[in-house]
Amino acid sequence: MKNLFRTLVVRILQREAAWLLRRQRPTIIAVTGSVGKTTTKDAIYAALRGQFRVRKSEKSFNSEIGVPLTVLGLPNAWQNPFGWLKNIIDGFFVACWSSRYPAVLVLEVGVDHPGDMAALTRWLRPDIVVVTRVPDVPVHVEFFSSPEAVTEEKMSLVSALQPNGTLIYNADDMTLVDHLPSVRHKHV
């Protein structure tokens, strides 16, 4: 029952977030990688906040539930089912009627399991993707078939870029460079 409730909450919040993004059309900067995501997100936010209305992911809210909470501007209800129901109701009102929305969203986007990025990129289409370092053995490799599978999962965010989107990455990171031709080919 607990898993069913969680799945339902995630799907509803993701749909509300997707609707809000279609209505408001902010510039979306998505940061992924295995090392330095939070620091990079915070640096981008600090550089932009004096020039634009901008919102960033709180802490490391980079999951299937953290990203829509950030988009909707809602808090994490943790283990409180009534808090989640309140978030669903508040999310509906924000998605349908918010008028003062940030011009830029800086979102940290992470993966823990296979399919995490695919679930996010079904509704999240960034304008800019920043890929931080991806080491030879990335974090959360224990949930994937290989280190390469983790990298491929993270790189699927690049495939979700808007058609004229911008990709920012470290050209000295050979793990990234090796994966880019296939990812960018899928995107084009």
Side-chain angles (χ1 to χ4, degrees), residues 58-186:
E58 291 300 317
K59 303 175 186 172
S60 292
F61 281 11
N62 63 20
S63 65
E64 64 184 352
I65 198 150
V67 174
L69 286 175
T70 299
V71 170
L72 294 164
L74 300 173
N76 189 331
W78 300 105
Q79 301 297 322
N80 182 345
F82 297 108
W84 287 115
L85 291 174
K86 181 180 182 325
N87 274 349
I88 288 171
I89 294 165
D90 290 348
F92 174 77
F93 284 102
V94 169
C96 293
W97 291 289
S98 72
S99 59
R100 186 151 167 80
Y101 195 73
V104 180
L105 293 175
V106 184
L107 304 173
E108 182 175 332
V109 183
V111 298
D112 293 333
H113 296 87
D116 284 354
M117 194 66 78
L120 285 169
T121 58
R122 276 197 276 286
W123 61 274
L124 183 68
R125 310 302 272 172
D127 299 285
I128 301 169
V129 171
V130 179
V131 184
T132 65
R133 177 136 168 44
V134 179
D136 293 336
V137 181
V139 295
H140 305 301
V141 72
E142 68 272 16
F143 301 114
F144 289 84
S145 60
S146 67
E148 293 78 25
V150 179
T151 303
E152 288 172 17
E153 183 79 15
K154 289 179 182 291
M155 296 302 286
S156 65
L157 182 62
V158 176
S159 297
L161 261 171
Q162 293 287 350
N164 56 351
T166 301
L167 172 63
I168 300 169
Y169 67 97
N170 179 357
D172 292 334
D173 187 335
M174 294 316 294
T175 303
L176 290 176
V177 172
D178 290 345
H179 282 83
L180 280 176
S182 62
V183 172
R184 290 303 285 175
H185 180 69
K186 288 180 203 172

Side-chain angles (χ1 to χ4, degrees), residues 20-45:
L20 179 59
L21 292 177
R22 280 193 299 275
R23 274 190 55 242
Q24 296 292 335
R25 300 194 184 283
T27 298
I28 300 170
I29 303 171
V31 180
T32 195
S34 291
V35 179
K37 289 187 303 286
T38 303
T39 303
T40 301
K41 171 206 60 176
D42 290 342
I44 293 168
Y45 173 81

